[in-house]
Structures are given as structure tokens and as C-alpha cells.
Amino acid sequence: MSKLLDPKILMAIKDLSLSAKMTIDGFMNGINKSTLKGAGLEFSQYRSYQPGDDLRALDWKMFARSDRYYIRESEVETNISVRILIDASASMNHNDGDFDKIDYVRYLGASLAYLANLQGDAIGLYVLKNNGIFSMTARQDYQHLARLFYQLEQIVPDGTFTQPVHYKELFAGTQKRELLIFLTDLYQKDDEITKLLDTLNSLRHEIVVFHVLSRNEFDLDFRGYSTFEDLETGETIQIDQEKAKQDYKSKLATYLAETRASLLDRRISYRTICTDEPLDEALRDFLKQRSKLRF
């Protein structure tokens, strides 16, 4: 694994676009590039014609030589739209001593966008907080990607997660399914995030949820602090960390298991990701989901 996938190193690079490029270059150099078959541009192999295949893909020279019908396949899939959804509610300001959740999400989102653009996919950005959504319609060109990086840099988490605001109209898209990547800490008061995911699911999109948590949330290690404040409501609570730690970890494990089961029941891909975790696993998950989409 490249050291450039270490989030501490990445976030020391202030230029988000440069960081994303270095991340993806390091990632691509470190993997065995599996061939993605589809209807793209780079020729890969022939296969026998099957009823229902696009006749435009028939290779007539092969037919002339063999008296059999063959289809030309390629290594690059048909382009799709990838929409990156960012939870920008105040809880994303949570800090584990090195950086905030939103910092990690910003760099992860930029890396995913760069990788998708490299594959020829159209990229869109949606930032959700308070009662609104900032949106950038999915497009595929370098200038659009540069604007997306700029908007990622401008995100300032605030308030609560947005309430439903024309979700269906905003995310209906084209007749084709799209890949939606949601970066969130899943902090919600009245199932507002669950309602969003149910709406997106009803539109038959492919959805990946990255549940972003910090290390001190996993371990209940807040360096002696015993007073905790809800970043979205302002409510405070005092606890004895040592006494509470075992019960906390048990309840957290139950919560994460229930969350995973709930989303998988909805056919939504889910994984937790910690803000000290290298980005390669998230990128692998993206490629795995990306390869499922066949149109």
C-alpha cells in the first residue's frame, strides 16, 4: 500500500486536486488491474454472438474469415453517472485530534471523483445540511471536476441534516440506474437519513453508504474529557469514561450490526470507515460497486 493513502499525509497536502491525483496514482499502481468487460472504447477480445446482442458490435471481418458471428468486447464499461452525496450537518465537525470527519470525507470524496472521472464517468456532487441541498449536476470533463474540488473545499458543516426537499425530482436522473455514494456519519434524530435512503432506493439507483466514524468514537477515548456535547443540538452530558466504556462498546457494536443489516435488507451497500483508515479499501469498494453496473 502506498503511504500516500495514509489520511494524515494526504491532508497535509493543501491542494485537494493534487492530493486526489496522488492518491489515485498510488492506488492504481498498487492493485492488480482486473479487466472490466463492457461496451467501451478499448478492444479486449471476441466472443460468440448471442441473441439480443447489439448488431453494431458484430465484427464482419471475423464473419468473412470464419462464417461465424462474433462480438467485439472492450475493457472499459459504458459510462455512467456517479453522484457523491456529502452529509454536511454539524456532527461532521467531530474531531479526533488529527482532523475533523469532514476533512476525511472531503479527501475521500475528491479521490472517488478523480477515480470515476478517470474511468470516463460523469460526476455529480450533492451537499446536504439544514433545509437545503447544494447540487452539481453530473458531467464528465476536467473543468467540471475542478469545480467539484472547489465546492468540496468550501463545505462548512452546520446545523442538522436536511429535511426531505424534492428528493425524487432531484435524484430521478435518466432512465438508467446511477451509482450514488453517500458519505455520512449517519447521525439522525427522526430517521431523516433513513427516509432519504428509502427515497433513493425507490428510484432503483445503486447506493453505497460509507459510515464515517472517528477512532475516539470507536474506542471512547477522548483524552480525559467527561463532558460531551451534541454538535447539532447543543445538549451536554457527563460520564465516567472508564465505567461507561464496556457498555458503550457493546451498544456501539449492536448499533453498527443493526445498521448494516437494515441497509443490506434494502439492498444498499454499507461499510464503516474510520478517519484514520487508509483510503484504498474505500476505493476498492467503489470499483467493486462500479463493476456491477451494466446497462
Side-chain angles (χ1 to χ4, degrees), residues 55-86:
L55 295 179
R56 290 174 297 182
L58 283 173
D59 191 295
W60 295 107
K61 292 182 178 179
M62 284 290 291
F63 173 75
R65 292 198 297 268
S66 65
D67 201 33
R68 293 175 181 241
Y69 293 111
Y70 287 96
I71 296 291
R72 292 169 61 93
E73 280 195 329
S74 62
E75 293 185 346
V76 182
E77 283 190 329
T78 304
N79 296 347
I80 64 169
S81 289
V82 177
R83 305 203 205 191
I84 299 175
L85 284 65
I86 305 290

Side-chain angles (χ1 to χ4, degrees), residues 103-159:
D103 293 328
Y104 188 88
V105 161
R106 191 179 282 118
Y107 281 78
L108 176 57
S111 299
L112 290 168
Y114 188 93
L115 179 56
N117 185 74
L118 194 65
Q119 291 194 323
D121 298 330
I123 314 298
L125 176 67
Y126 299 79
V127 182
L128 301 94
K129 68 176 179 179
N130 292 325
N131 291 319
I133 300 178
F134 169 83
S135 62
M136 287 182 67
T137 304
R139 292 180 55 188
Q140 204 287 316
D141 64 66
Y142 182 77
Q143 287 185 339
H144 179 75
L145 183 64
R147 288 192 291 270
L148 186 147
F149 288 151
Y150 173 79
Q151 292 300 333
L152 283 172
E153 291 172 339
Q154 304 311 305
I155 296 175
V156 179
D158 183 44

Side-chain angles (χ1 to χ4, degrees), residues 67-259:
D67 201 33
R68 293 175 181 241
Y69 293 111
Y70 287 96
I71 296 291
R72 292 169 61 93
E73 280 195 329
S74 62
E75 293 185 346
V76 182
E77 283 190 329
T78 304
N79 296 347
I80 64 169
S81 289
V82 177
R83 305 203 205 191
I84 299 175
L85 284 65
I86 305 290
D87 178 353
S89 57
S91 62
M92 297 296 286
N93 281 318
H94 177 80
N95 186 285
D96 71 350
D98 292 315
F99 35 77
D100 301 336
K101 287 180 185 175
I102 195 62
D103 293 328
Y104 188 88
V105 161
R106 191 179 282 118
Y107 281 78
L108 176 57
S111 299
L112 290 168
Y114 188 93
L115 179 56
N117 185 74
L118 194 65
Q119 291 194 323
D121 298 330
I123 314 298
L125 176 67
Y126 299 79
V127 182
L128 301 94
K129 68 176 179 179
N130 292 325
N131 291 319
I133 300 178
F134 169 83
S135 62
M136 287 182 67
T137 304
R139 292 180 55 188
Q140 204 287 316
D141 64 66
Y142 182 77
Q143 287 185 339
H144 179 75
L145 183 64
R147 288 192 291 270
L148 186 147
F149 288 151
Y150 173 79
Q151 292 300 333
L152 283 172
E153 291 172 339
Q154 304 311 305
I155 296 175
V156 179
D158 183 44
T160 59
F161 192 80
T162 184
Q163 298 299 313
V165 284
H166 310 298
Y167 283 155
K168 282 194 174 181
E169 292 82 354
L170 188 61
F171 292 102
T174 63
Q175 296 300 312
K176 295 181 178 180
R177 287 184 305 150
E178 300 178 348
L179 176 55
L180 275 53
I181 303 175
F182 188 25
L183 309 180
T184 175
D185 62 1
L186 286 179
Y187 182 87
Q188 55 183 337
K189 297 288 286 184
D190 299 306
D191 293 328
E192 57 270 18
I193 294 180
T194 302
K195 292 172 184 176
L196 165 64
L197 291 172
D198 284 340
T199 299
L200 299 180
N201 210 27
S202 71
L203 298 172
R204 303 181 63 81
H205 292 314
E206 200 81 16
I207 305 171
V208 181
V209 172
F210 285 106
H211 187 181
V212 182
L213 296 169
S214 64
R215 179 57 58 192
N216 53 20
E217 287 179 300
F218 276 111
D219 299 337
L220 193 63
D221 179 12
F222 288 88
R223 300 184 179 127
Y225 296 128
S226 59
T227 300
F228 295 84
E229 179 182 354
D230 186 315
L231 292 174
E232 296 189 10
T233 67
E235 297 177 9
T236 61
I237 186 174
Q238 289 190 332
I239 67 169
D240 183 326
Q241 287 192 59
E242 290 306 315
K243 291 182 179 179
K245 186 170 293 189
Q246 185 173 353
D247 185 50
Y248 170 85
K249 287 189 175 182
S250 175
K251 289 182 177 179
L252 176 63
T254 299
Y255 162 69
L256 293 177
E258 291 176 348
T259 299

Side-chain angles (χ1 to χ4, degrees), residues 3 55 77 120 137 267 274 277 281:
K3 289 184 178 180
L55 295 179
E77 283 190 329
T137 304
R267 302 179 67 83
C274 186
E277 184 176 342
E281 287 303 316

Side-chain angles (χ1 to χ4, degrees), residues 26-62:
F27 173 69
M28 297 302 287
N29 288 334
I31 66 172
N32 294 321
K33 302 180 182 64
S34 58
T35 300
L36 299 176
K37 301 295 192 300
L41 302 176
E42 297 178 20
F43 173 71
S44 175
Q45 66 179 25
Y46 293 102
R47 66 168 173 80
S48 298
Y49 171 81
Q50 298 176 0
D53 284 336
D54 189 344
L55 295 179
R56 290 174 297 182
L58 283 173
D59 191 295
W60 295 107
K61 292 182 178 179
M62 284 290 291

